[in-house]
Amino acid sequence: MEPHDFTWIFAVGIISSICDAFGIGANDVANSFASSVSSGSLTLLQACIIACFTEFLGAFLLGSSTSETIKGGILSVERFVDRPELLMLGMLCALIGSASWVLFASKKGMPVSTTHSIIGAVIGVGISAFGGGAIQWGYSGVAKIITSWFVSPIAAGIVTAIIYLPTRFFVLESPNSLERGIRAIPIYFFVTALIGSFYIIYKGAPGTDASKLSIGTIIGICFGVATGISAFSWFFFVKWLRRRVVGKENVRWYHIFVIHFVKYRPSPSPPSPASVTNSSTDAEITGAIESGADCDAKLSAYAKN
């Protein structure tokens, strides 16, 4: 085997990876941000910008264990030691199969899982190359993944109920729901930062020995990180949000970090109807006459002006 005999696999693999990543954006990211965009909390552009950072950071900080499972937890790479080109070709076929299915499902509006798609593709590669016995069907491999299909919706439902019920009774149904909602923001920041930092450290941040720390040390670090982020949200973000939502001030997102030093910024007044010039009214009336439309209403408005 010459060094450059299989360069084409590398090139096609990059293209296939881009297509698969596009499918992930069209499916997984869309599912994640659908509620935020539909509720008006985020615009589509804002959601896309946030997703660029969160997708990369999630893959970089928390994706190592998933990559290990896909790489060797389903089909052992030791079977390809004597024929590495077969492994390259197999992974290329898995990428093409996963990307094709995810893009097709996204086009049809089906909320499929991109992770399960690539896992099924790798299983197909293993069966095609070495038969069904090459696949690790036990709980250390495929069985554990299948179990997660049933555990994940249940766990997500329980966590959602734990978050939603207190928010509903103590915030949304309160006579002063806006004030309570603003005060509750640091709590949500604390819980989110605590869970996120725990998984980043527990799974082992890349380039560090964080995963070797004791569980007590990890919990202590996570509580410290969560407390710091929660304090920042209380002293800066809550102050900024109160001025923007309650005070209706014209403060921008970059004022969050210096909100205590920003003077009062009144929102610009909406334009008055009287500011519309007669020239624009004349142009509208002329256009209506030329088009043969009924312009009685426009003439009345012009007379009033």
Side-chain angles (χ1 to χ4, degrees), residues 162-244:
I162 293 174
I163 296 174
Y164 176 75
L165 289 177
T167 304
R168 174 188 173 186
F169 290 111
F170 295 108
V171 177
L172 298 179
E173 296 184 358
S174 171
N176 192 12
S177 58
L178 177 60
E179 182 61 29
R180 284 199 175 187
I182 293 176
R183 291 182 179 180
I185 287 175
I187 300 176
Y188 295 120
F189 270 82
F190 179 87
V191 174
T192 303
L194 181 65
I195 296 174
S197 59
F198 176 80
Y199 276 103
I200 291 174
I201 299 174
Y202 184 74
K203 290 293 185 179
T208 67
D209 295 329
S211 59
K212 299 179 181 180
L213 298 174
S214 64
I215 189 66
T217 303
I218 294 176
I219 293 176
I221 294 174
C222 294
F223 268 92
V225 172
T227 301
I229 294 177
S230 180
F232 173 83
S233 68
W234 174 257
F235 290 107
F236 292 92
F237 181 72
V238 169
K239 176 73 172 177
W240 175 86
L241 190 65
R242 194 184 302 276
R243 291 180 58 174
R244 182 174 178 84

Side-chain angles (χ1 to χ4, degrees), residues 240-252:
W240 175 86
L241 190 65
R242 194 184 302 276
R243 291 180 58 174
R244 182 174 178 84
V245 176
V246 180
K248 305 295 183 182
E249 295 187 40
N250 186 28
V251 289
R252 304 297 184 181

Side-chain angles (χ1 to χ4, degrees), residues 62-283:
L62 297 174
S64 58
S65 59
T66 303
S67 299
E68 288 294 328
T69 300
I70 295 175
K71 182 184 72 174
I74 302 171
L75 175 65
S76 177
V77 295
E78 295 178 357
R79 295 178 175 269
F80 298 93
V81 172
D82 296 330
R83 301 189 64 185
E85 70 279 5
L86 188 62
L87 176 62
M88 295 173 62
L89 181 61
M91 293 299 106
L92 173 62
C93 294
L95 273 175
I96 295 175
S98 174
S100 301
W101 166 244
V102 171
L103 290 174
F104 172 80
S106 301
K107 177 66 175 179
K108 298 298 182 180
M110 295 184 290
V112 300
S113 171
T114 54
T115 304
H116 298 164
S117 299
I118 190 64
I119 288 173
V122 172
I123 292 175
V125 169
I127 294 176
S128 301
F130 302 103
I135 306 300
Q136 300 182 23
W137 299 105
Y139 191 75
S140 60
V142 178
K144 186 176 182 179
I145 297 172
I146 295 177
T147 303
S148 69
W149 298 351
F150 300 95
V151 174
S152 297
I154 297 174
I158 294 173
V159 173
T160 302
I162 293 174
I163 296 174
Y164 176 75
L165 289 177
T167 304
R168 174 188 173 186
F169 290 111
F170 295 108
V171 177
L172 298 179
E173 296 184 358
S174 171
N176 192 12
S177 58
L178 177 60
E179 182 61 29
R180 284 199 175 187
I182 293 176
R183 291 182 179 180
I185 287 175
I187 300 176
Y188 295 120
F189 270 82
F190 179 87
V191 174
T192 303
L194 181 65
I195 296 174
S197 59
F198 176 80
Y199 276 103
I200 291 174
I201 299 174
Y202 184 74
K203 290 293 185 179
T208 67
D209 295 329
S211 59
K212 299 179 181 180
L213 298 174
S214 64
I215 189 66
T217 303
I218 294 176
I219 293 176
I221 294 174
C222 294
F223 268 92
V225 172
T227 301
I229 294 177
S230 180
F232 173 83
S233 68
W234 174 257
F235 290 107
F236 292 92
F237 181 72
V238 169
K239 176 73 172 177
W240 175 86
L241 190 65
R242 194 184 302 276
R243 291 180 58 174
R244 182 174 178 84
V245 176
V246 180
K248 305 295 183 182
E249 295 187 40
N250 186 28
V251 289
R252 304 297 184 181
W253 65 268
Y254 47 82
H255 291 142
I256 295 176
F257 307 97
V258 292
I259 191 63
H260 293 281
F261 305 98
V262 177
K263 296 182 180 180
Y264 177 70
R265 294 170 59 91
S267 298
S269 301
S272 174
S275 62
V276 179
T277 61
N278 289 339
S279 59
S280 62
T281 306
D282 294 338

